[in-house]
Coordinates of all heavy atoms in Angstrom, one line a residue:
M1 N -10.2 -2.0 -1.6 CA -9.9 -1.7 -0.2 C -10.0 -0.2 0.0 O -9.5 0.6 -0.8 CB -8.5 -2.1 0.2 CG -8.4 -3.6 0.5 SD -6.8 -3.8 1.3 CE -6.4 -5.3 0.7
Y2 N -10.6 0.2 1.1 CA -10.6 1.7 1.5 C -10.2 1.8 3.0 O -10.7 1.0 3.8 CB -12.1 2.2 1.3 CG -12.5 2.3 -0.1 CD1 -13.1 1.2 -0.7 CD2 -12.3 3.5 -0.8 CE1 -13.5 1.3 -2.1 CE2 -12.6 3.6 -2.1 CZ -13.2 2.5 -2.8 OH -13.6 2.6 -4.1
D3 N -9.3 2.7 3.2 CA -8.8 2.9 4.6 C -9.8 3.9 5.3 O -10.1 5.0 4.7 CB -7.4 3.6 4.6 CG -6.4 2.6 4.2 OD1 -6.6 1.4 4.4 OD2 -5.3 3.1 3.7
I4 N -10.3 3.4 6.4 CA -11.3 4.2 7.1 C -10.9 4.3 8.6 O -10.5 3.3 9.2 CB -12.7 3.6 7.0 CG1 -13.2 3.6 5.6 CG2 -13.7 4.3 7.9 CD1 -14.5 2.8 5.3
D5 N -10.9 5.6 9.1 CA -10.6 5.8 10.5 C -11.9 5.7 11.2 O -12.9 6.4 10.9 CB -10.0 7.2 10.7 CG -8.6 7.3 10.1 OD1 -7.9 6.3 10.1 OD2 -8.3 8.4 9.7
I6 N -12.0 4.8 12.2 CA -13.3 4.6 12.9 C -13.1 4.8 14.4 O -12.0 4.6 15.0 CB -13.9 3.2 12.7 CG1 -13.0 2.1 13.1 CG2 -14.3 3.0 11.2 CD1 -13.6 0.7 13.1
T7 N -14.2 5.2 15.0 CA -14.2 5.3 16.5 C -15.3 4.3 16.9 O -16.5 4.4 16.4 CB -14.6 6.7 16.9 OG1 -13.6 7.6 16.5 CG2 -14.7 6.8 18.4
V8 N -15.0 3.5 17.8 CA -16.0 2.5 18.3 C -16.3 2.7 19.8 O -15.4 3.0 20.6 CB -15.4 1.0 18.2 CG1 -16.4 0.0 18.7 CG2 -15.0 0.7 16.7
T9 N -17.6 2.7 20.1 CA -18.0 2.8 21.5 C -18.8 1.6 21.8 O -19.5 1.0 21.0 CB -18.9 4.1 21.7 OG1 -20.0 4.0 20.8 CG2 -18.1 5.3 21.5
V10 N -18.8 1.2 23.1 CA -19.5 0.0 23.5 C -20.4 0.4 24.7 O -19.9 1.1 25.6 CB -18.5 -1.1 24.0 CG1 -19.3 -2.3 24.5 CG2 -17.6 -1.5 22.9
D11 N -21.7 0.0 24.7 CA -22.6 0.4 25.7 C -22.5 -0.6 26.9 O -21.7 -1.5 26.9 CB -24.0 0.6 25.2 CG -24.7 -0.7 24.7 OD1 -24.2 -1.8 25.1 OD2 -25.7 -0.6 24.0
A12 N -23.3 -0.4 27.9 CA -23.2 -1.2 29.1 C -23.5 -2.7 28.9 O -23.1 -3.5 29.7 CB -24.2 -0.6 30.2
V13 N -24.3 -3.0 27.9 CA -24.7 -4.4 27.6 C -23.8 -5.0 26.5 O -24.0 -6.1 26.1 CB -26.1 -4.5 27.2 CG1 -27.0 -4.2 28.4 CG2 -26.5 -3.7 26.0
G14 N -22.7 -4.3 26.1 CA -21.8 -4.8 25.2 C -22.1 -4.6 23.7 O -21.4 -5.1 22.8
K15 N -23.1 -3.8 23.4 CA -23.4 -3.5 22.0 C -22.5 -2.4 21.5 O -22.4 -1.4 22.2 CB -24.9 -3.2 21.9 CG -25.3 -2.9 20.4 CD -26.8 -2.8 20.3 CE -27.1 -2.3 18.9 NZ -27.9 -3.2 18.2
W16 N -21.9 -2.6 20.4 CA -21.0 -1.5 19.9 C -21.6 -0.7 18.8 O -22.5 -1.2 18.1 CB -19.7 -2.1 19.5 CG -19.7 -3.1 18.3 CD1 -19.9 -4.5 18.4 CD2 -19.6 -2.8 16.9 NE1 -19.9 -5.0 17.1 CE2 -19.7 -4.0 16.2 CE3 -19.5 -1.6 16.2 CZ2 -19.7 -4.0 14.8 CZ3 -19.4 -1.7 14.8 CH2 -19.5 -2.9 14.2
Q17 N -21.1 0.5 18.6 CA -21.4 1.4 17.5 C -20.1 1.9 17.0 O -19.2 2.2 17.8 CB -22.3 2.6 18.0 CG -23.7 2.2 18.5 CD -24.5 3.4 18.9 OE1 -23.9 4.4 19.4 NE2 -25.7 3.4 18.6
A18 N -20.1 2.2 15.7 CA -18.9 2.7 15.1 C -19.2 3.8 14.1 O -20.2 3.7 13.4 CB -18.1 1.7 14.4
T19 N -18.4 4.9 14.2 CA -18.6 6.0 13.2 C -17.2 6.2 12.6 O -16.2 5.9 13.3 CB -19.1 7.3 13.8 OG1 -18.3 7.7 14.8 CG2 -20.6 7.1 14.2
G20 N -17.1 6.8 11.5 CA -15.8 7.0 10.9 C -15.8 7.9 9.7 O -16.9 8.4 9.3
R21 N -14.7 8.0 9.1 CA -14.5 8.8 7.8 C -13.4 8.1 7.0 O -12.6 7.4 7.6 CB -14.0 10.2 8.1 CG -15.1 11.1 8.8 CD -14.6 12.5 8.8 NE -15.7 13.4 8.9 CZ -16.5 13.8 7.9 NH1 -16.4 13.3 6.7 NH2 -17.5 14.6 8.1
H22 N -13.3 8.3 5.7 CA -12.2 7.8 4.9 C -11.0 8.5 5.5 O -10.9 9.6 5.9 CB -12.4 8.2 3.5 CG -13.5 7.5 2.8 ND1 -13.4 6.2 2.4 CD2 -14.8 7.8 2.6 CE1 -14.6 5.8 1.9 NE2 -15.4 6.8 2.0
A23 N -9.9 7.6 5.6 CA -8.6 8.1 6.1 C -8.0 9.2 5.3 O -7.4 10.1 5.9 CB -7.6 6.9 6.2
S24 N -8.3 9.3 4.0 CA -7.8 10.4 3.2 C -8.9 10.6 2.2 O -9.7 9.8 1.9 CB -6.5 10.1 2.5 OG -6.6 8.9 1.8
A25 N -8.9 11.9 1.7 CA -10.0 12.2 0.7 C -9.9 11.3 -0.5 O -8.8 11.0 -1.0 CB -9.8 13.7 0.3
L26 N -11.0 10.9 -1.0 CA -11.1 10.0 -2.2 C -10.9 10.9 -3.5 O -11.5 11.9 -3.6 CB -12.4 9.3 -2.3 CG -12.7 8.4 -1.1 CD1 -14.1 7.7 -1.3 CD2 -11.7 7.4 -0.8
D27 N -10.1 10.4 -4.4 CA -10.0 11.0 -5.7 C -11.2 10.6 -6.5 O -12.0 9.9 -6.0 CB -8.6 10.7 -6.4 CG -8.5 9.3 -6.8 OD1 -9.5 8.6 -7.0 OD2 -7.3 8.8 -6.9
T28 N -11.3 11.2 -7.7 CA -12.5 10.9 -8.5 C -12.8 9.5 -8.8 O -13.9 9.0 -8.6 CB -12.4 11.7 -9.8 OG1 -12.2 13.1 -9.5 CG2 -13.6 11.5 -10.7
T29 N -11.7 8.7 -9.1 CA -11.8 7.3 -9.4 C -12.2 6.5 -8.2 O -13.1 5.7 -8.2 CB -10.5 6.8 -10.0 OG1 -10.2 7.5 -11.2 CG2 -10.7 5.3 -10.3
Q30 N -11.6 6.8 -7.1 CA -11.9 6.1 -5.8 C -13.4 6.4 -5.4 O -14.1 5.6 -4.9 CB -11.0 6.6 -4.7 CG -9.6 6.1 -4.9 CD -8.6 6.7 -3.9 OE1 -8.7 7.9 -3.6 NE2 -7.7 5.9 -3.4
R31 N -13.8 7.7 -5.5 CA -15.2 8.1 -5.2 C -16.2 7.3 -6.0 O -17.2 6.8 -5.5 CB -15.3 9.6 -5.3 CG -16.7 10.2 -5.1 CD -17.5 9.7 -4.0 NE -17.0 10.0 -2.7 CZ -17.6 9.6 -1.5 NH1 -18.7 8.9 -1.6 NH2 -17.1 9.9 -0.4
E32 N -15.9 7.3 -7.4 CA -16.8 6.5 -8.2 C -16.9 5.0 -7.8 O -18.0 4.5 -7.8 CB -16.4 6.6 -9.7 CG -16.6 8.0 -10.3 CD -16.0 8.2 -11.7 OE1 -15.3 7.2 -12.2 OE2 -16.1 9.3 -12.2
G33 N -15.8 4.5 -7.5 CA -15.7 3.1 -7.1 C -16.5 2.9 -5.8 O -17.3 1.9 -5.6
W34 N -16.3 3.8 -4.8 CA -17.0 3.7 -3.5 C -18.5 3.8 -3.7 O -19.2 3.0 -3.2 CB -16.4 4.8 -2.6 CG -17.2 4.9 -1.3 CD1 -18.2 5.8 -1.0 CD2 -17.0 4.0 -0.2 NE1 -18.6 5.6 0.3 CE2 -17.9 4.5 0.8 CE3 -16.2 3.0 0.1 CZ2 -18.1 3.9 2.1 CZ3 -16.3 2.4 1.4 CH2 -17.2 2.8 2.3
D35 N -18.9 4.8 -4.5 CA -20.3 5.0 -4.7 C -20.9 3.8 -5.4 O -22.1 3.4 -5.1 CB -20.6 6.3 -5.6 CG -20.3 7.6 -4.8 OD1 -20.2 7.5 -3.5 OD2 -20.1 8.6 -5.5
F36 N -20.2 3.2 -6.3 CA -20.7 2.0 -7.0 C -20.9 0.9 -6.0 O -21.9 0.2 -6.0 CB -19.7 1.6 -8.1 CG -20.1 0.3 -8.8 CD1 -21.1 0.3 -9.8 CD2 -19.4 -0.8 -8.6 CE1 -21.4 -0.8 -10.5 CE2 -19.7 -2.0 -9.2 CZ -20.7 -2.0 -10.2
L37 N -19.9 0.6 -5.2 CA -20.0 -0.4 -4.2 C -21.1 -0.2 -3.2 O -21.9 -1.1 -2.9 CB -18.6 -0.6 -3.4 CG -17.5 -1.1 -4.2 CD1 -16.2 -1.1 -3.4 CD2 -17.7 -2.6 -4.7
M38 N -21.3 1.0 -2.8 CA -22.4 1.3 -1.8 C -23.7 1.1 -2.5 O -24.6 0.7 -1.8 CB -22.2 2.8 -1.4 CG -21.1 3.0 -0.4 SD -21.3 2.2 1.2 CE -22.6 3.3 1.9
E39 N -23.8 1.4 -3.8 CA -25.1 1.2 -4.5 C -25.4 -0.3 -4.7 O -26.5 -0.7 -4.6 CB -25.1 2.0 -5.8 CG -26.4 2.1 -6.4 CD -26.4 3.0 -7.6 OE1 -25.8 4.1 -7.5 OE2 -27.1 2.7 -8.6
M40 N -24.3 -1.0 -5.0 CA -24.4 -2.5 -5.2 C -24.9 -3.2 -3.9 O -25.8 -4.0 -3.9 CB -23.1 -3.1 -5.7 CG -22.7 -2.7 -7.0 SD -23.6 -3.6 -8.3 CE -23.1 -5.2 -8.0
D41 N -24.2 -2.9 -2.8 CA -24.4 -3.6 -1.6 C -23.6 -2.9 -0.5 O -22.4 -3.0 -0.6 CB -24.1 -5.0 -1.7 CG -24.5 -5.8 -0.4 OD1 -25.1 -5.2 0.5 OD2 -24.1 -7.0 -0.3
P42 N -24.2 -2.3 0.5 CA -23.4 -1.5 1.5 C -22.8 -2.4 2.6 O -22.5 -1.9 3.7 CB -24.4 -0.5 2.0 CG -25.7 -1.3 2.0 CD -25.6 -2.1 0.7
H43 N -22.6 -3.7 2.4 CA -22.0 -4.6 3.4 C -20.5 -4.8 3.0 O -20.2 -5.1 1.9 CB -22.7 -5.9 3.4 CG -24.1 -5.8 3.9 ND1 -25.2 -5.5 3.1 CD2 -24.6 -6.0 5.2 CE1 -26.3 -5.5 3.9 NE2 -26.0 -5.8 5.1
F44 N -19.7 -4.6 4.1 CA -18.3 -4.8 3.9 C -17.7 -5.6 5.1 O -18.3 -5.7 6.1 CB -17.6 -3.4 3.9 CG -18.0 -2.5 2.8 CD1 -19.2 -1.7 2.9 CD2 -17.3 -2.4 1.7 CE1 -19.5 -0.8 1.9 CE2 -17.7 -1.6 0.6 CZ -18.8 -0.8 0.7
S45 N -16.5 -6.2 4.8 CA -15.8 -6.9 5.9 C -14.8 -5.9 6.5 O -14.1 -5.3 5.7 CB -15.1 -8.1 5.4 OG -16.1 -9.1 5.0
I46 N -14.7 -5.9 7.8 CA -13.7 -5.0 8.4 C -12.4 -5.9 8.5 O -12.4 -7.0 9.1 CB -14.1 -4.5 9.8 CG1 -15.3 -3.6 9.6 CG2 -13.0 -3.9 10.5 CD1 -15.8 -3.1 11.0
A47 N -11.3 -5.3 8.1 CA -10.0 -5.9 8.3 C -9.1 -5.0 9.1 O -9.0 -3.8 8.7 CB -9.3 -6.2 6.9
F48 N -8.7 -5.4 10.3 CA -7.9 -4.5 11.1 C -6.4 -4.6 10.7 O -6.0 -5.6 10.0 CB -8.1 -5.0 12.6 CG -9.5 -4.8 13.0 CD1 -10.4 -5.9 13.1 CD2 -10.0 -3.5 13.4 CE1 -11.7 -5.7 13.5 CE2 -11.3 -3.4 13.8 CZ -12.1 -4.4 13.9
P49 N -5.6 -3.6 11.1 CA -4.2 -3.6 10.7 C -3.6 -4.9 11.1 O -3.8 -5.4 12.2 CB -3.6 -2.4 11.5 CG -4.8 -1.5 11.7 CD -6.0 -2.4 11.8
G50 N -2.8 -5.5 10.1 CA -2.1 -6.8 10.3 C -3.0 -8.0 9.9 O -2.4 -9.1 10.0
E51 N -4.2 -7.8 9.6 CA -5.1 -8.9 9.2 C -5.2 -8.9 7.6 O -5.3 -7.9 7.0 CB -6.5 -8.8 9.7 CG -6.6 -8.9 11.2 CD -8.0 -8.9 11.7 OE1 -8.9 -8.4 10.9 OE2 -8.3 -9.2 12.9
D52 N -5.2 -10.1 7.1 CA -5.4 -10.2 5.6 C -6.9 -10.1 5.3 O -7.3 -9.6 4.2 CB -4.9 -11.6 5.1 CG -3.4 -11.6 5.2 OD1 -2.7 -10.5 5.1 OD2 -2.8 -12.7 5.3
R53 N -7.8 -10.7 6.1 CA -9.2 -10.7 5.8 C -9.9 -10.2 7.0 O -9.5 -10.4 8.2 CB -9.7 -12.1 5.5 CG -9.0 -12.7 4.3 CD -9.9 -12.6 3.1 NE -9.2 -13.2 2.0 CZ -9.3 -12.7 0.8 NH1 -10.0 -11.7 0.5 NH2 -8.7 -13.3 -0.2
G54 N -11.1 -9.6 6.8 CA -11.9 -9.2 7.9 C -12.8 -10.3 8.5 O -13.1 -11.2 7.8
G55 N -13.1 -10.1 9.7 CA -13.9 -11.1 10.4 C -15.3 -10.6 10.8 O -16.1 -11.4 11.2
I56 N -15.5 -9.3 10.7 CA -16.7 -8.7 11.0 C -17.4 -8.1 9.8 O -16.8 -7.3 9.1 CB -16.5 -7.6 12.1 CG1 -15.9 -8.1 13.3 CG2 -17.9 -6.9 12.4 CD1 -15.5 -7.1 14.4
T57 N -18.6 -8.5 9.5 CA -19.3 -7.9 8.4 C -20.2 -6.8 8.9 O -20.9 -7.0 9.9 CB -20.2 -9.0 7.7 OG1 -19.4 -10.0 7.2 CG2 -21.0 -8.4 6.5
V58 N -20.1 -5.6 8.3 CA -20.8 -4.5 8.7 C -21.7 -3.9 7.6 O -21.3 -4.1 6.4 CB -19.9 -3.4 9.3 CG1 -19.2 -3.8 10.5 CG2 -18.9 -2.9 8.2
R59 N -22.7 -3.2 7.9 CA -23.5 -2.4 6.9 C -23.0 -1.0 7.1 O -23.0 -0.5 8.3 CB -25.0 -2.5 7.2 CG -25.8 -1.8 6.2 CD -27.3 -2.1 6.4 NE -28.0 -1.6 5.2 CZ -28.4 -0.3 5.0 NH1 -28.0 0.6 5.9 NH2 -29.1 0.0 4.0
V60 N -22.7 -0.3 6.0 CA -22.2 1.1 6.1 C -23.2 2.0 5.6 O -23.8 1.8 4.5 CB -20.9 1.2 5.3 CG1 -20.4 2.6 5.3 CG2 -19.8 0.3 5.8
V61 N -23.5 3.1 6.3 CA -24.4 4.2 5.9 C -23.5 5.4 5.8 O -22.8 5.8 6.8 CB -25.6 4.4 6.8 CG1 -26.4 5.5 6.4 CG2 -26.4 3.1 6.9
E62 N -23.6 6.1 4.7 CA -22.8 7.4 4.6 C -23.7 8.6 4.6 O -24.7 8.7 3.8 CB -22.0 7.4 3.3 CG -21.1 8.6 3.1 CD -20.1 8.5 1.9 OE1 -20.4 7.6 1.0 OE2 -19.2 9.2 1.9
A63 N -23.4 9.5 5.5 CA -24.2 10.7 5.6 C -23.7 11.8 4.6 O -22.7 11.6 4.0 CB -24.1 11.3 7.1
E64 N -24.5 12.8 4.4 CA -24.2 13.9 3.5 C -22.8 14.5 3.7 O -22.1 14.9 2.8 CB -25.3 15.0 3.5 CG -26.6 14.5 3.0 CD -26.7 14.5 1.5 OE1 -26.0 15.3 0.8 OE2 -27.4 13.6 0.9
D65 N -22.5 14.6 5.0 CA -21.2 15.2 5.4 C -20.0 14.2 5.3 O -18.9 14.6 5.6 CB -21.2 15.8 6.8 CG -21.4 14.8 7.9 OD1 -21.5 13.6 7.6 OD2 -21.3 15.2 9.0
G66 N -20.2 13.0 4.8 CA -19.2 12.0 4.6 C -18.9 11.1 5.8 O -18.1 10.2 5.8
T67 N -19.7 11.4 6.9 CA -19.6 10.5 8.1 C -20.1 9.1 7.8 O -21.2 9.0 7.2 CB -20.3 11.1 9.3 OG1 -19.8 12.4 9.6 CG2 -20.2 10.2 10.5
L68 N -19.4 8.1 8.2 CA -19.8 6.7 8.0 C -20.3 6.2 9.3 O -19.6 6.3 10.3 CB -18.6 5.9 7.4 CG -18.0 6.4 6.2 CD1 -16.7 5.6 5.9 CD2 -18.9 6.4 5.0
T69 N -21.4 5.5 9.2 CA -21.9 4.7 10.4 C -21.8 3.2 10.0 O -22.3 2.8 9.0 CB -23.3 5.1 10.7 OG1 -23.4 6.5 11.0 CG2 -23.9 4.3 11.9
L70 N -21.1 2.5 10.9 CA -20.9 1.0 10.7 C -21.8 0.3 11.7 O -21.7 0.6 12.9 CB -19.5 0.7 10.8 CG -18.5 1.2 9.8 CD1 -18.2 2.6 9.9 CD2 -17.2 0.4 9.8
M71 N -22.6 -0.7 11.2 CA -23.4 -1.5 12.1 C -23.1 -2.9 11.8 O -23.1 -3.3 10.6 CB -24.9 -1.2 11.9 CG -25.3 0.3 12.2 SD -26.8 0.7 11.4 CE -26.2 1.0 9.7
E72 N -22.9 -3.7 12.8 CA -22.6 -5.2 12.6 C -23.8 -5.8 11.9 O -25.0 -5.5 12.3 CB -22.4 -5.9 13.9 CG -21.8 -7.3 13.7 CD -21.3 -7.9 15.0 OE1 -21.5 -7.4 16.1 OE2 -20.6 -8.9 14.9
A73 N -23.6 -6.6 10.9 CA -24.6 -7.2 10.1 C -24.7 -8.7 10.4 O -24.3 -9.5 9.6 CB -24.3 -6.9 8.6
L74 N -25.3 -9.0 11.5 CA -25.3 -10.4 12.0 C -26.3 -11.2 11.1 O -26.1 -12.4 10.9 CB -25.8 -10.5 13.4 CG -24.9 -9.8 14.4 CD1 -25.5 -9.8 15.8 CD2 -23.5 -10.6 14.5
D75 N -27.3 -10.6 10.6 CA -28.4 -11.3 9.8 C -28.1 -11.3 8.3 O -28.9 -11.8 7.6 CB -29.7 -10.8 10.1 CG -29.9 -9.3 9.8 OD1 -28.9 -8.6 9.6 OD2 -31.0 -8.8 9.9
W76 N -27.0 -10.7 7.8 CA -26.8 -10.6 6.4 C -26.4 -12.0 5.9 O -25.5 -12.6 6.4 CB -25.7 -9.6 6.1 CG -25.5 -9.3 4.7 CD1 -26.4 -8.8 3.8 CD2 -24.3 -9.6 3.9 NE1 -25.8 -8.7 2.5 CE2 -24.5 -9.2 2.6 CE3 -23.0 -10.1 4.3 CZ2 -23.5 -9.3 1.6 CZ3 -22.1 -10.2 3.3 CH2 -22.3 -9.8 2.0
D77 N -27.0 -12.4 4.8 CA -26.8 -13.8 4.3 C -25.7 -13.8 3.2 O -25.5 -14.8 2.6 CB -28.0 -14.4 3.8 CG -28.7 -13.7 2.6 OD1 -28.1 -12.7 2.1 OD2 -29.8 -14.2 2.2
G78 N -25.2 -12.6 2.8 CA -24.1 -12.6 1.8 C -24.6 -12.4 0.4 O -23.9 -12.4 -0.5
S79 N -25.9 -12.1 0.3 CA -26.5 -12.0 -1.1 C -27.1 -10.6 -1.2 O -27.5 -10.0 -0.2 CB -27.5 -13.0 -1.4 OG -28.6 -12.9 -0.5
A80 N -27.2 -10.1 -2.4 CA -27.8 -8.8 -2.7 C -28.5 -8.9 -4.1 O -28.1 -9.7 -4.9 CB -26.8 -7.7 -2.7
S81 N -29.5 -8.1 -4.2 CA -30.2 -8.0 -5.5 C -30.2 -6.5 -5.9 O -30.8 -5.7 -5.2 CB -31.6 -8.5 -5.4 OG -32.3 -8.3 -6.6
V82 N -29.5 -6.2 -7.0 CA -29.4 -4.8 -7.4 C -29.6 -4.7 -8.9 O -29.2 -5.6 -9.7 CB -27.9 -4.3 -7.1 CG1 -27.7 -2.9 -7.6 CG2 -27.6 -4.5 -5.7
T83 N -30.3 -3.6 -9.3 CA -30.6 -3.4 -10.7 C -29.9 -2.0 -11.0 O -30.1 -1.1 -10.3 CB -32.1 -3.3 -11.0 OG1 -32.7 -4.5 -10.6 CG2 -32.3 -3.0 -12.5
F84 N -29.1 -1.9 -12.1 CA -28.6 -0.7 -12.5 C -28.4 -0.6 -13.9 O -28.4 -1.7 -14.6 CB -27.2 -0.4 -11.7 CG -26.2 -1.5 -11.9 CD1 -25.3 -1.4 -12.9 CD2 -26.2 -2.5 -11.0 CE1 -24.3 -2.4 -13.1 CE2 -25.2 -3.5 -11.1 CZ -24.3 -3.5 -12.2
D85 N -28.3 0.5 -14.5 CA -28.2 0.8 -15.9 C -26.7 0.9 -16.3 O -26.0 1.8 -15.8 CB -29.0 2.0 -16.3 CG -29.1 2.3 -17.8 OD1 -28.6 1.4 -18.6 OD2 -29.6 3.3 -18.2
L86 N -26.3 0.2 -17.3 CA -24.9 0.2 -17.8 C -24.7 1.1 -19.0 O -23.7 1.1 -19.7 CB -24.4 -1.1 -18.1 CG -24.2 -2.1 -16.9 CD1 -23.8 -3.4 -17.3 CD2 -23.2 -1.5 -15.9
T87 N -25.7 1.9 -19.4 CA -25.6 2.7 -20.6 C -24.7 3.9 -20.3 O -24.4 4.4 -19.3 CB -27.0 3.3 -21.0 OG1 -27.6 4.0 -20.0 CG2 -27.8 2.1 -21.5

């Protein structure tokens, strides 16, 4: 779990966009875990305060400055194919 502060905007036709940042700076271990998850598959479930599980699956893109862009992933089938070296 990672706490992320997000700002959501909705356009005239009801399509939403969200940007955000980690709620607090990640320590080395958290950063390594975050980078690993992003490399494996950048799809996450959003859980709002008071919820045990998220109901919205989003694709997350992280910019160089740490800004996160969240896009609803309506077409994601829950699978990913990733190759990485464990050496």
Side-chain angles (χ1 to χ4, degrees):
M1 281 195 214
Y2 291 89
D3 290 332
I4 297 175
D5 293 327
I6 62 173
T7 300
V8 179
T9 57
V10 180
D11 66 17
V13 294
K15 184 172 172 119
W16 63 269
Q17 292 182 327
T19 58
R21 291 190 158 283
H22 290 281
S24 57
L26 302 181
D27 65 26
T28 302
T29 302
Q30 291 170 322
R31 172 47 65 182
E32 288 173 358
W34 175 259
D35 291 343
F36 177 78
L37 290 173
M38 288 291 289
E39 194 170 318
M40 290 282 296
D41 184 7
H43 291 87
F44 297 87
S45 291
I46 294 178
F48 296 100
E51 292 182 348
D52 291 333
R53 301 261 181 217
I56 300 172
T57 300
V58 295
R59 183 174 192 281
V60 178
V61 176
E62 185 171 15
E64 291 283 326
D65 68 356
T67 300
L68 305 172
T69 301
L70 292 74
M71 298 159 282
E72 191 169 12
L74 297 173
D75 59 349
W76 185 63
D77 66 2
S79 64
S81 176
V82 178
T83 302
F84 55 92
D85 186 7
L86 292 176
T87 57

